[in-house]
Amino acid sequence: NAGVTQTPKFRILKIGQSMTLQCTQDMNHNYMYWYRQDPGMGLKLIYYSVGAGITDKGEVPNGYNVSRSTTEDFPLRLELAAPSQTSVYFCASSPDKSYTFGSGTRLTVV
Amino acid sequence: KNEVEQSPQNLTAQEGEFITINCSYSVGISALHWLQQHPGGGIVSLFMLSSGKKKHGRLIATINIQEKHSSLHITASHPRDSAVYICAVSFLVRGNEKLTFGTGTRLTIIP
């Protein structure tokens, strides 16, 4: 099993550009999450989903959007990239209380 | 809101030493997680604990629910154990599990 797959691994964006971070899991987990990790800080929850068609905001949702049209996919959309969105992004999935994380996407906005 | 504090923030030790990393949290939880992150790498789940103690190879995790404290121990440490170790606690918010993360402990094992 591949687990949780994130693409791309690295990306440089210019201010104002948009992009989608992809996340796919093949474990049939209901719960999926997007986190960002900034230097010296704990991971912060951006958005989460409890199942296909259901999403909700986390602690730091501003500047991001998500969708969950299938159980497997949970893409994160940045519409107008800003330098404050420079971070490492992690997707995770969970069947209930255990978590599987992706390998991360390092995003730099210049 | 649950606050998670880890100590120490940084730890350097010689190969073979016994390592202890501590984690404290502020409110009741449903589970505590220990995670490992290698430089530039993804996050791997090491343990999920709700009580007592768990062991996997050279790694041991303990939790004291009354004191709201957990420790991660590494016996016979090795340079490949060098990584950031993250404590996270899960608790229910509006019926859904949420994770709050500590800032991590950067462990360096010198050969």
Side-chain angles (χ1 to χ4, degrees):
Chain A
N1 283 348
V4 176
T5 302
Q6 285 185 240
T7 56
K9 292 193 183 303
F10 304 94
R11 182 75 186 267
I12 298 175
L13 274 185
K14 293 185 178 178
I15 294 171
Q17 286 185 322
S18 62
M19 77 164 293
T20 299
L21 282 65
Q22 302 290 347
C23 177
T24 299
Q25 53 98 2
D26 61 359
M27 298 169 286
N28 203 35
H29 290 172
N30 283 327
Y31 298 91
M32 294 189 75
Y33 307 85
W34 274 106
Y35 297 95
R36 59 178 288 170
Q37 184 182 41
D38 299 308
M41 308 279 287
L43 277 76
K44 300 292 185 190
L45 180 64
I46 304 171
Y47 270 95
Y48 68 99
S49 169
V50 301
I54 306 169
T55 63
D56 205 351
K57 295 178 181 179
E59 301 170 81
V60 290
N62 292 344
Y64 306 95
N65 276 301
V66 294
S67 60
R68 184 95 183 271
S69 56
T70 66
T71 300
E72 294 78 20
D73 299 308
F74 190 42
L76 178 71
R77 178 88 178 157
L78 283 71
E79 291 294 349
L80 289 170
S84 60
Q85 293 177 305
T86 293
S87 190
V88 181
Y89 292 84
F90 287 97
C91 179
S93 72
S94 171
D96 48 19
K97 293 183 180 179
S98 63
Y99 292 80
T100 302
F101 290 83
S103 57
T105 295
R106 184 174 294 274
L107 176 67
T108 303
V109 182
V110 297
Chain B
K1 184 178 161 136
N2 216 334
E3 302 290 336
V4 179
E5 304 251 350
Q6 285 186 239
S7 63
Q9 285 189 313
N10 295 283
L11 178 56
T12 300
Q14 294 287 334
E15 182 174 356
E17 285 189 40
F18 181 81
I19 303 299
T20 296
I21 299 170
N22 296 300
C23 177
S24 298
Y25 53 93
S26 56
V27 301
I29 63 173
S30 56
L32 183 140
H33 305 259
W34 282 104
L35 311 168
Q36 181 191 56
Q37 184 177 22
H38 282 285
I43 296 171
V44 175
S45 179
L46 297 175
F47 295 104
M48 181 178 70
L49 291 164
S50 53
S51 65
K53 176 179 173 178
K54 286 190 176 180
K55 184 175 190 289
H56 185 258
R58 295 180 294 106
L59 273 59
I60 303 165
T62 65
I63 188 169
N64 185 317
I65 297 295
Q66 286 73 32
E67 295 187 4
K68 296 185 174 62
H69 180 269
S70 175
S71 293
L72 176 68
H73 305 285
I74 304 175
T75 62
S77 59
H78 190 276
R80 65 175 174 267
D81 297 326
S82 298
V84 175
Y85 292 85
I86 301 170
C87 172
V89 297
S90 54
F91 56 102
L92 286 175
V93 176
R94 298 201 308 264
N96 293 314
E97 289 276 338
K98 293 291 172 62
L99 279 179
T100 295
F101 295 81
T103 55
T105 295
R106 184 175 300 275
L107 174 65
T108 303
I109 303 298
I110 299 170

